[in-house]
């Protein structure tokens, strides 16, 4: 079963309440998304650490109900 874009945003916002989160369904199939996340919590973290933080927020859904996520992150 595919994951809804709103659910991806909700999970990320639960971990980073003040973040700017933009989610796009790349193929219109609910399986391939792009996410851009800007969060204060990323300040001083490497890009790899930032991505790990987002994947942690998604609670192990990557590779399961969330098939593919093209992720970009930034600190404000």
């Amino acid at each position: 079963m595919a994951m809804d874009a709103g659910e991806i945003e909700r999970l990320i916002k639960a971990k980073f309440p003040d973040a700017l989160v933009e989610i796009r369904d790349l193929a219109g199939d609910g399986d391939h998304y792009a996410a851009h996340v800007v969060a204060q919590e990323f300040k001083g973290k490497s890009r790899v650490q930032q991505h790990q933080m987002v994947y942690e927020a998604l609670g192990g859904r990557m590779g399961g109900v969330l098939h593919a996520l093209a992720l970009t992150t930034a600190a404000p």
Side-chain angles (χ1 to χ4, degrees), residues 22-38:
E22 298 171 354
I23 307 291
R24 289 183 298 123
D25 186 341
L26 297 175
D29 61 3
D31 280 334
H32 300 85
Y33 289 98
H36 179 67
V37 183
V38 179

Side-chain angles (χ1 to χ4, degrees), residues 7-37:
E7 178 68 4
I8 297 168
E9 183 174 354
R10 185 191 69 73
L11 290 167
I12 294 171
K13 288 283 232 172
K15 176 130 179 136
F16 311 106
D18 298 323
L20 168 67
V21 179
E22 298 171 354
I23 307 291
R24 289 183 298 123
D25 186 341
L26 297 175
D29 61 3
D31 280 334
H32 300 85
Y33 289 98
H36 179 67
V37 183

Side-chain angles (χ1 to χ4, degrees), residues 45-76:
K45 306 281 189 207
S46 72
R47 190 78 61 212
V48 170
Q49 289 171 317
Q50 293 172 14
H51 286 212
Q52 288 171 336
M53 293 167 73
V54 173
Y55 293 143
E56 182 180 299
L58 295 171
R61 289 168 177 84
M62 282 300 301
V65 293
L66 181 52
H67 178 72
L69 181 68
L71 178 61
T72 58
T73 57

